[in-house]
Amino acid sequence: MCPPTRRAAAYEPHRAGVLGLPAVPASAGEARRTVRELLEEWAVTPDLREDTLLITSELVTNALTHTTSEWIVCRLHLTGQRLRIEVEDQNCGHAQPARRRPGPDDQNGRGLMLVGMLSSDWGVDETPQRSGRVVWAELPSEGRETAEPAPPTA
């Protein structure tokens, strides 16, 4: 007897890229260049590419600025529905990343606010070995979703 026929699930290609970087200021530019090249190779739309580059830049800069890590890792995952950006550091900072409410004259504090506005979701996870943390953001691969931005935290 033959097994019942199953409809094949729609195939969703998965693409991934990983970039290990030393925790030095020049790494933010290197991350942007490499991510731009990957996204162009993957034929990502210009709007999604620009949003991804801005989010990558903010997450990498935060890891470089707010931790004393010796290295960071930037990962991109693209499926049919989502593009996920991850930046892993060694969790050498004193506080978890959180959105702030900067004043009009403050020069800093807007990075995660931008990440929240451009992404459909974002968060912070510890690595499985608890040797670091991963700050991640997800974007819809087919363009922006209109979502309520999360309220800023302290």
Side-chain angles (χ1 to χ4, degrees):
M1 180 176 223
C2 294
T5 305
R6 294 185 190 166
R7 284 181 31 168
Y11 173 71
E12 288 188 357
H14 181 251
R15 295 180 176 100
V18 178
L19 176 63
L21 299 163
V24 297
S27 290
E30 179 62 27
R32 281 191 301 275
R33 279 187 295 280
T34 302
V35 167
R36 177 180 282 116
E37 290 169 5
L38 271 177
L39 296 176
E40 287 172 355
E41 180 182 315
W42 297 345
V44 168
T45 64
D47 285 344
L48 180 59
R49 187 170 52 235
E50 291 307 312
D51 289 351
T52 302
L53 288 170
L54 181 55
I55 290 171
T56 301
S57 183
E58 291 298 334
L59 297 182
V60 168
T61 299
N62 281 354
L64 295 172
T65 304
H66 300 293
T67 75
T68 56
S69 300
E70 294 179 14
W71 53 262
I72 58 172
V73 178
C74 181
R75 295 181 192 89
L76 288 168
H77 304 275
L78 177 66
T79 65
Q81 300 295 315
R82 294 263 172 231
L83 188 142
R84 182 177 173 105
I85 306 151
E86 299 177 349
V87 174
E88 179 180 342
D89 62 50
Q90 293 172 295
N91 198 12
C92 300
H94 300 292
Q96 288 283 26
R99 288 174 63 174
R100 294 189 278 170
R101 191 181 309 228
D105 295 330
D106 291 342
Q107 292 185 15
N108 298 312
R110 291 177 179 80
L112 290 178
M113 189 167 58
L114 283 171
V115 170
M117 291 170 59
L118 295 174
S119 64
S120 55
D121 197 12
W122 75 276
V124 181
D125 297 324
E126 289 188 31
T127 59
Q129 306 81 13
R130 297 186 180 273
S131 60
R133 69 175 160 220
V134 177
V135 183
W136 56 268
E138 292 185 344
L139 297 94
S141 63
E142 298 298 322
R144 287 191 191 153
E145 293 175 354
T146 307
E148 285 292 315
T153 57

